[in-house]
């Protein structure tokens, strides 16, 4: 691929099976990590991404190539083999894969690399979306996004280049399938991020943060609880979404 395209613009999209269950880990990487089969899978993914970066560097394309690495959902909490969890871990964030509202299912890291153009070692704590990839690529290619419809994404370039301080997403809508589960609002003048949950999955067991009895949390029906008024959280103070606000605790 790169031999054919290294002298002209190209887009390479790589959708890795790693680190998705079933954990397809080759013999060479089994037992490489201290974190079981899931850790081995991460190690192999890291090696695969490294091979791609090595080719970019070898061909002298690193200063003209934007690389964006991200996941499409949080860790899969229901994936177990015996007592061993196979699907990753979401840290302080509640919930996981398949949950359209809780942070553990939608908050994933993104890593951007473009030496000579983007400052190295910068951490940007702003909400972006995988929907932003489309307008970013169009922008880089010198094109224009369609004007005959609403485009939900925003180009990432001003944010990662530091020419703007805030994401273009004042609101973000979080769906589970076709059902709206939650909405976040970044109130920029206060530096606060509010999140309202209209529906949340019924965890099994209740304290587990997962739907172990079903294999993955459902988006509708008897597997979700509807909230009226919505559950409201201040993510800037409560990123684990453990303390829903009320008129008593948050008069505003």
């Amino acid at each position: 691929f790169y031999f054919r395209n290294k002298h002209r613009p190209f887009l390479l999209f790589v959708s890795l099976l790693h680190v998705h269950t079933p954990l397809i880990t080759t013999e060479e990487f089994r037992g490489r990590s201290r974190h079981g089969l899931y850790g081995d899978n991460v190690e192999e993914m890291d090696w695969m991404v490294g091979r791609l970066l090595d080719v970019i560097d070898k061909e002298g394309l690193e200063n003209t190539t934007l690389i964006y690495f991200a996941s499409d959902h949080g860790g899969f909490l229901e994936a177990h083999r015996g007592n061993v969890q196979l699907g990753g871990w979401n840290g302080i964030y509640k919930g996981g894969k398949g949950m359209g509202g809780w942070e553990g299912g939608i908050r994933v890291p993104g890593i951007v690399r473009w030496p000579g153009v983007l400052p190295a070692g910068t951490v940007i704590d702003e909400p972006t979306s995988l929907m932003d990839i489309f307008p970013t690529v169009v922008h880089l290619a010198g094109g224009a996004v369609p004007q005959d419809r609403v485009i939900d994404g925003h180009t990432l370039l001003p944010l990662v280049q530091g020419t703007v301080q805030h994401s273009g997403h004042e609101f973000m809508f979080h769906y589970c399938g076709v059902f709206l589960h939650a909405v976040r609002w970044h109130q920029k003048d206060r530096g606060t991020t509010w999140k309202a949950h209209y529906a949340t999955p019924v965890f099994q067991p209740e304290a587990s943060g997962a739907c172990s009895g079903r294999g993955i949390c459902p988006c509708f029906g008897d597997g979700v609880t509807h909230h009226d008024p919505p559950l409201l959280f201040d993510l800037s103070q409560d990123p684990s979404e453990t303390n829903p606000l009320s008129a008593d605790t948050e008069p505003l």
Side-chain angles (χ1 to χ4, degrees):
F1 171 84
Y2 63 88
F3 285 125
R4 294 196 310 272
N5 295 279
K6 66 181 182 179
H7 295 304
R8 58 183 180 178
F10 64 85
L11 171 67
L12 175 63
F13 174 75
V14 181
S15 184
L16 295 159
L17 285 172
H18 305 55
V19 289
H20 202 293
T21 54
L23 297 171
I24 313 286
T25 308
T26 61
E27 287 296 326
E28 183 183 355
F29 283 87
R30 285 180 180 263
R32 285 274 289 266
S33 83
R34 294 178 295 172
H35 301 284
L37 189 59
Y38 184 88
D40 298 343
N41 210 241
V42 173
E43 295 260 355
E44 186 165 19
M45 177 181 67
D46 183 60
W47 173 80
M48 294 168 72
V49 173
R51 290 292 302 272
L52 291 169
L53 297 181
D54 287 346
V55 170
I56 295 292
D57 294 348
K58 177 185 172 186
E59 297 296 335
L61 299 173
E62 65 273 14
N63 291 335
T64 55
T65 305
L66 172 70
I67 295 166
Y68 180 34
F69 176 87
S71 178
D72 63 340
H73 56 69
F76 184 12
L77 302 182
E78 291 84 3
H80 282 79
R81 178 181 295 167
N83 293 324
V84 178
Q85 185 179 330
L86 293 180
W89 180 62
N90 298 317
I92 66 170
Y93 303 111
K94 182 179 290 187
K97 176 188 175 180
M99 302 179 208
W102 294 120
E103 290 292 279
I106 56 179
R107 183 190 286 245
V108 296
I111 303 171
V112 181
R113 176 186 188 255
W114 194 357
V117 177
L118 303 181
T122 303
V123 177
I124 299 173
D125 185 17
E126 284 287 310
T128 64
S129 166
L130 293 183
M131 293 186 293
D132 296 335
I133 295 174
F134 170 65
T136 302
V137 169
V138 170
H139 185 159
L140 284 171
V145 297
Q147 299 298 306
D148 61 343
R149 71 205 72 183
V150 175
I151 300 297
D152 292 315
H154 302 279
T155 176
L156 292 168
L157 291 176
L159 189 62
V160 296
Q161 288 178 311
T163 58
V164 300
Q165 298 303 307
H166 294 294
S167 160
H169 295 281
E170 181 181 3
F171 293 92
M172 298 184 85
F173 298 85
H174 304 301
Y175 285 82
C176 185
V178 298
F179 300 94
L180 181 65
H181 274 209
V183 176
R184 83 176 58 220
W185 173 37
H186 186 200
Q187 189 181 4
K188 295 172 186 173
D189 59 343
R190 283 186 56 174
T192 304
T193 300
W194 308 97
K195 178 116 157 278
H197 287 262
Y198 302 98
T200 55
V202 178
F203 293 146
Q204 302 167 328
E206 189 174 343
S208 67
C211 300
S212 300
R214 294 175 179 259
I216 195 167
C217 288
C219 297
F220 63 96
D222 62 357
V224 303
T225 301
H226 293 273
H227 303 282
D228 186 14
L231 292 179
L232 180 64
F233 296 93
D234 176 358
L235 291 184
S236 6
Q237 302 296 323
D238 180 23
S240 298
E241 298 175 287
T242 53
N243 302 304
L245 301 175
S246 68
D248 296 327
T249 58
E250 179 53 77
L252 175 66

